[in-house]
Amino acid sequence: MKPRERMLAACRGEATDRPPVWLMRQAGRYLPEYRALREKHRFWQMMRETDLALEVSLQPVRRLGVDAAILFSDILIVLDAMGVEVKYVAGGPRIKPLVRDDNDLGRLDEVDAASEFDYVERIIRALCNELHPRTAVIGFAGAPFTLASYLVEKGPARESKHLRHLAKLRPEVYDEILGRITTVVTDLLALQIEAGADIVQLFDTWAGRLSVEEYSELALPWTKKVFEGLAGTGAPRILYTRNSHAHYLQAATARAQVLSIDDSLPLAEARARLGPGMALQGNLDPARLKEGPSRIRSAVKEMIDSAGSAGYIANLGRGLTPDTPVAGVEAFVAAVKEWRS
Ligand code: CP3
């Protein structure tokens, strides 16, 4: 099978000759060729200029021979488009102004996706031009709950404390914020698919802090709304939620074809819980890529054996971190390609 064909078949839940493979955060700082470019350009410039973003998206395809490239961008471009100042500083993104109540809502701009995200459209087109029909192109966005966490929290979005508080005290303000973000996210993903992206993934990075009840009330409805808005496009949809083993049964109802499983739950158990109808992606702990090649090989074999080779995409349980040795990433991809049942 060809890489793109393999990716799409796995998303449809079909058997493949071997699992397709790509890695979350594969385009980034663990690669010396990324760091070399990054020394010369600012992050925003790298996301906005077609040639730079194209180059960074292609780097992991060239070096690793993965089955899919992911658009080089960031989840926070949605907040930027809504008029929020997003700065990337060492230690993570900084966001201003904060939204805490309905007085602040007026500060969020209406977004015309076609003009606001024209740079994303150009990058996706360039990527498809370069990679199609052989290799798949993945588009992505942040899930509404995670983006709202960044919008409302002061400092790291991790606990989503103020956002959860706001949802309790002022549910109508919460709904207004999430509704506005949901529209922009849906438009952004529709634009990516229209430009040629084969598959889209939503990152709900901070959903793991929610209780099961909160997840179904505060996060799931909005994620579902995004996916429902894209259902007519035919492009497969992947949902990633982090630290979320308690949420998978509900997440499986969000109208994604693929659920990306984190490293908190063995894949065999995810399969058992979710049944054969849901394609899975994941879930090696990226920390294991610091081990030697033979240990990586056996971890990968165990992972694939427990997932089965139908409806399965080999990947990590969380994004690659900058301190991951390239040799470990290469060993991971090689092990997936060598896998035999
Ligand atoms: O290979 C890829 O996946 C590239 C595209 C991509 C980036 N960010 C580039 C990036 C993707 C899919 C993301 C998603 C993202 N961004 C998430 C969800 C994924 C996850 O890991 O849970 C989140 C929470 C963000 C927000 C964000 N952007 C953070 C927390 C940071 C700083 C720390 C970090 O994780 O890298 C960023 C900056 C960022 N986004 C960088 C890159 C390559 C580093 C920028 C630099 O070079 O300084």
Side-chain angles (χ1 to χ4, degrees):
M1 294 177 101
K2 297 261 166 50
R4 179 167 173 256
E5 195 190 325
R6 195 181 279 124
M7 275 295 296
L8 290 169
C11 290
R12 288 192 298 263
E14 296 166 8
T16 47
D17 54 346
R18 60 152 172 92
V21 58
W22 70 283
L23 299 91
M24 287 192 278
R25 312 300 295 268
Q26 66 186 13
R29 285 170 297 178
Y30 75 101
L31 278 179
E33 54 268 39
Y34 172 85
R35 288 198 301 269
L37 261 186
R38 178 72 172 86
E39 265 168 35
K40 291 185 246 150
H41 306 279
R42 288 145 82 102
F43 184 56
W44 267 116
Q45 190 187 4
M46 290 178 66
M47 286 197 287
R48 283 212 166 102
E49 283 184 23
T50 313
D51 291 352
L52 289 172
L54 174 68
E55 169 60 23
V56 177
S57 291
L58 292 176
Q59 283 172 350
V61 180
R62 262 188 230 127
R63 189 193 269 259
L64 308 167
V66 282
D67 293 296
I70 184 162
L71 162 74
F72 186 72
S73 190
D74 193 64
I75 64 167
L76 300 174
I77 65 168
V78 161
L79 299 186
D80 167 72
M82 296 174 90
V84 177
E85 191 183 303
V86 179
K87 278 193 180 150
Y88 293 94
V89 294
R94 288 264 170 78
I95 283 151
K96 208 174 92 172
L98 309 170
V99 172
R100 285 288 161 75
D101 57 39
D102 44 1
N103 292 329
D104 298 327
L105 283 175
R107 291 201 256 162
L108 294 177
D109 296 344
E110 290 285 317
V111 176
D112 172 33
S115 61
E116 205 51 63
F117 300 123
D118 58 343
Y119 66 101
V120 174
E121 189 185 335
R122 280 197 292 274
I123 297 162
I124 294 268
R125 284 196 196 285
L127 260 176
C128 295
N129 206 19
E130 203 66 44
L131 294 176
H132 279 170
R134 187 178 158 77
T135 302
V137 173
I138 303 175
F140 75 94
F145 175 77
T146 288
L147 291 178
S149 296
Y150 276 106
L151 187 65
V152 173
E153 299 305 308
K154 193 157 112 200
R158 249 168 230 112
E159 300 285 337
S160 309
K161 203 171 109 203
H162 292 101
L163 184 63
R164 292 153 82 191
H165 199 60
L166 181 73
K168 279 201 193 88
L169 290 185
R170 305 289 306 277
E172 70 292 351
V173 178
Y174 183 86
D175 287 352
E176 174 74 24
I177 294 174
L178 274 281
R180 289 204 203 186
I181 293 175
T182 297
T183 303
V184 186
V185 167
T186 310
D187 290 351
L188 171 61
L189 291 178
L191 170 143
Q192 295 178 10
I193 294 167
E194 176 70 30
D198 299 294
I199 299 163
V200 289
Q201 174 159 331
L202 266 189
F203 288 88
D204 213 350
T205 305
W206 304 126
R209 288 301 169 128
L210 298 173
S211 70
V212 171
E213 211 175 6
E214 284 175 316
Y215 179 74
S216 71
E217 284 168 14
L218 304 183
L220 179 65
W222 307 101
T223 293
K224 209 181 219 167
K225 202 160 178 218
V226 173
F227 285 149
E228 273 163 2
L230 302 171
T233 65
R237 306 175 289 274
I238 306 177
L239 174 58
Y240 168 73
T241 57
R242 194 162 76 162
N243 299 331
S244 278
H245 57 264
H247 302 141
Y248 288 141
L249 274 180
Q250 293 177 70
T253 68
R255 303 206 57 190
Q257 286 83 354
V258 186
L259 205 55
S260 196
I261 304 297
D262 67 29
D263 44 45
S264 66
L265 189 72
L267 278 181
E269 198 167 327
R271 270 278 188 239
R273 269 194 218 176
L274 297 164
M278 189 85 210
L280 301 181
Q281 171 174 277
N283 77 337
L284 196 76
D285 178 354
R288 302 215 46 188
L289 303 183
K290 292 176 184 156
E291 296 175 7
S294 68
R295 289 181 66 110
I296 292 175
R297 206 175 307 122
S298 57
V300 167
K301 176 151 173 45
E302 198 186 315
M303 172 179 86
I304 302 176
D305 286 344
S306 69
S309 59
Y312 171 60
I313 302 167
N315 204 318
L316 303 173
R318 274 177 286 138
L320 273 171
T321 51
D323 61 347
T324 312
V326 179
V329 181
E330 287 169 342
F332 175 83
V333 175
V336 177
K337 292 187 174 179
E338 282 162 19
W339 173 85
R340 299 288 176 274
S341 57

